[in-house]
Amino acid sequence: MKSHLNSNYVKTVVSSNCCLIKSQNKKEQDFAKDVAYGLTRKNKFIPSKYFYDKTGSELFDQICSLPEYYLTRKEIEILSSIKQELSKYLVENYAVVELGSGSAIKTRHLFEMLSKNQEKIEYYPIDISSIVKESSQRLQNEFDNLQITGIVDQYESGLDLVKDIDENKIIAFFGSSIGNFDQQSMLDFLSKIRNGMKPGDLFLLGMDLVKNKEILEAAYNDSKGTTQDFNLNLLQRINSELGGDFDVSKFEHIASYNSKEKRVEMHLRSKIKQQIFISEIGLSVNLEEDDRIRTEYSHKYTLSQIKKIAKRTGFNITKIWRDKQNYFALVLFSISKTA
Ligand SMILES: C[S@@+](CC[C@H](N)C(=O)[O-])C[C@H]1O[C@@H](n2cnc3c(N)ncnc32)[C@H](O)[C@@H]1O
């Protein structure tokens, strides 16, 4: 961990074994800029990282326990079944860096594993959402051997902060969030992760696998409508933070699988011709009936693609674990000593 934080960050000590580092970058300005950019494109979009305000993070946690949302269950199934095997790769002391940690439910399996061999575990959760604070406090109550440095920031800048950790680190990126990147950004991001690793470090990545269209589409179109609420909350967030006048009842949640691109695409469809005004950015947006705003891509992968990705980003694949139905994969990457 960098010993001197630059003035973009403020550090708050929460307790003797927990502190929070918060980026002071004006998030509202980024949000305003990204919304203004995305809504003035021919193919309108809002970046998916803006889903996660307080309500969005809570809705995501509810999505994780929906029967149709197999991703969380399958990833936990794998994690619980590989504890012994994974611990063989974690023989020395490891710090845990987690990207997009959210409620850190899955990370608890890693802590249980590491606790067998090490007295203290340094944990660096990195998340754009202030959920980091609550989840760190909860973890502290459950594990008395954690030393937590919560980082409320974007993945990339958060990674820069933890690049120079002295001990070995395992970087965990669960939840198939890698699937939200488009192809080139995914390769660039994995290369960035790889460049911040030294021999001995490990990278554990959750990747959702290509499967039957019906199963994929059901996962993002649950019968309770929680994913719909999660998607529409983005418009509510623009209303409350940027002075938008979106009427969410005039939008429909759409999630469909694009088999050519191997991704579930999530959109908000305008049910009528309408004009939206967003006062903070002085922007009027004209939408025709059926116009769509893209809010998320969730790419799915094949094993051969995973191998190609590793090759292109300079990683070795140490191990690929899958659940019994081959729905989901946890991939353990390492780097060569000579690299
Ligand atoms: C799909 S959820 C996964 C949460 C958890 N890791 C899991 O597997 O259940 C994605 C998490 O990443 C965070 N996130 C999304 N985009 C981010 C970004 N660009 N930088 C940092 N965190 C981000 C969100 O706030 C959210 O907590």
Side-chain angles (χ1 to χ4, degrees):
M1 180 85 202
K2 281 183 177 169
S3 49
H4 296 294
L5 289 170
N6 68 33
S7 56
N8 283 340
Y9 291 94
V10 168
K11 183 172 174 175
T12 318
V13 175
V14 180
S15 70
S16 60
N17 45 8
C18 181
C19 70
L20 280 181
I21 291 175
K22 218 168 168 175
S23 159
Q24 292 304 97
N25 287 341
K26 292 264 173 288
K27 288 210 192 88
E28 312 76 38
Q29 283 173 16
D30 287 350
F31 185 32
K33 218 169 60 199
D34 289 346
V35 166
Y37 181 80
L39 292 185
T40 48
R41 297 306 93 192
K42 186 165 169 280
N43 296 320
K44 298 188 177 6
F45 71 97
I46 304 169
S48 60
K49 64 183 174 189
Y50 293 114
F51 276 133
Y52 300 94
D53 62 353
K54 191 169 185 307
T55 310
S57 293
E58 284 165 11
L59 284 167
F60 180 74
D61 278 350
Q62 291 174 30
I63 289 174
C64 287
S65 37
L66 293 169
E68 296 94 337
Y69 199 76
Y70 61 86
L71 292 88
T72 306
R73 272 195 319 282
K74 294 296 173 189
E75 198 170 22
I76 291 178
E77 176 189 321
I78 304 172
L79 270 170
S80 338
S81 67
I82 64 167
K83 278 189 190 151
Q84 261 195 336
E85 206 182 334
L86 180 56
S87 62
K88 286 188 208 146
Y89 300 101
L90 302 165
V91 280
E92 292 167 39
N93 265 20
Y94 272 83
V96 177
V97 172
E98 182 172 14
L99 297 166
S101 48
S103 295
I105 302 295
K106 296 160 191 166
T107 335
R108 285 164 166 79
H109 293 269
L110 267 187
F111 297 146
E112 281 169 21
M113 224 176 290
L114 290 169
S115 297
K116 295 212 169 102
N117 296 332
Q118 46 192 95
E119 270 173 35
K120 278 248 162 260
I121 303 169
E122 298 272 353
Y123 175 49
Y124 301 88
I126 300 170
D127 202 297
I128 198 169
S129 161
S130 44
I131 194 171
V132 174
K133 189 174 177 193
E134 290 159 43
S135 68
S136 298
Q137 279 163 345
R138 258 183 273 131
L139 280 170
Q140 262 202 307
N141 297 335
E142 286 174 50
F143 295 86
D144 53 14
N145 59 346
L146 286 187
Q147 186 68 48
I148 306 176
T149 306
I151 301 170
V152 185
D153 202 358
Q154 311 234 22
Y155 301 135
E156 290 84 353
S157 28
L159 272 173
D160 287 338
L161 291 180
V162 297
K163 213 168 156 180
D164 305 321
I165 293 176
D166 288 333
E167 57 186 331
N168 286 333
K169 58 182 178 293
I170 176 162
I171 302 173
F173 194 19
F174 295 130
S176 187
S177 298
I178 191 67
N180 300 145
F181 289 76
D182 65 39
Q183 182 72 2
Q184 190 54 49
S185 328
M186 178 266 292
L187 294 172
D188 294 345
F189 185 56
L190 293 183
S191 302
K192 182 178 171 70
I193 294 177
R194 191 236 160 277
N195 292 335
M197 287 167 62
K198 51 186 181 336
D201 287 353
L202 294 166
F203 174 41
L204 186 61
L205 178 63
M207 302 179 92
D208 197 17
L209 298 174
V210 168
K211 62 184 71 59
N212 181 298
K213 183 179 161 89
E214 280 71 44
I215 298 168
L216 285 168
E217 291 192 342
Y220 297 83
N221 287 291
D222 63 280
S223 53
K224 238 175 126 184
T226 312
T227 315
Q228 166 193 286
D229 295 347
F230 175 71
N231 200 4
L232 289 168
N233 178 57
L234 202 41
L235 302 183
Q236 258 143 1
R237 182 172 183 189
I238 296 177
N239 287 351
S240 63
E241 292 183 29
L242 301 178
D245 63 1
F246 280 101
D247 175 350
V248 295
S249 69
K250 305 277 185 311
F251 288 85
E252 181 191 1
H253 159 77
I254 298 201
S256 57
Y257 184 58
N258 177 335
S259 49
K260 184 165 169 274
E261 301 294 340
K262 299 194 189 71
R263 65 187 179 212
V264 173
E265 300 176 344
M266 211 149 89
H267 289 91
L268 290 163
R269 183 187 81 87
S270 177
K271 292 181 186 170
I272 54 164
K273 181 181 165 76
Q274 53 183 319
Q275 187 178 58
I276 314 299
F277 184 64
I278 306 174
S279 62
E280 291 283 313
I281 44 180
L283 179 70
S284 289
V285 184
N286 292 308
L287 295 171
E288 298 297 324
E289 180 179 349
D290 275 341
D291 273 359
R292 291 171 180 216
I293 302 170
R294 195 228 316 144
T295 51
E296 189 177 73
Y297 284 148
S298 295
H299 287 86
K300 311 298 163 188
Y301 303 93
T302 60
L303 288 187
S304 70
Q305 234 180 327
I306 294 174
K307 286 173 192 161
K308 277 190 203 138
I309 290 170
K311 208 163 178 190
R312 288 189 63 180
T313 51
F315 276 114
N316 301 326
I317 294 183
T318 301
K319 186 84 195 178
I320 301 182
W321 292 280
R322 283 174 289 165
D323 62 285
K324 288 199 187 93
Q325 285 175 292
N326 291 333
Y327 276 14
F328 201 91
L330 257 188
V331 188
L332 186 65
F333 296 97
S334 55
I335 63 168
S336 301
K337 287 209 167 55
T338 51

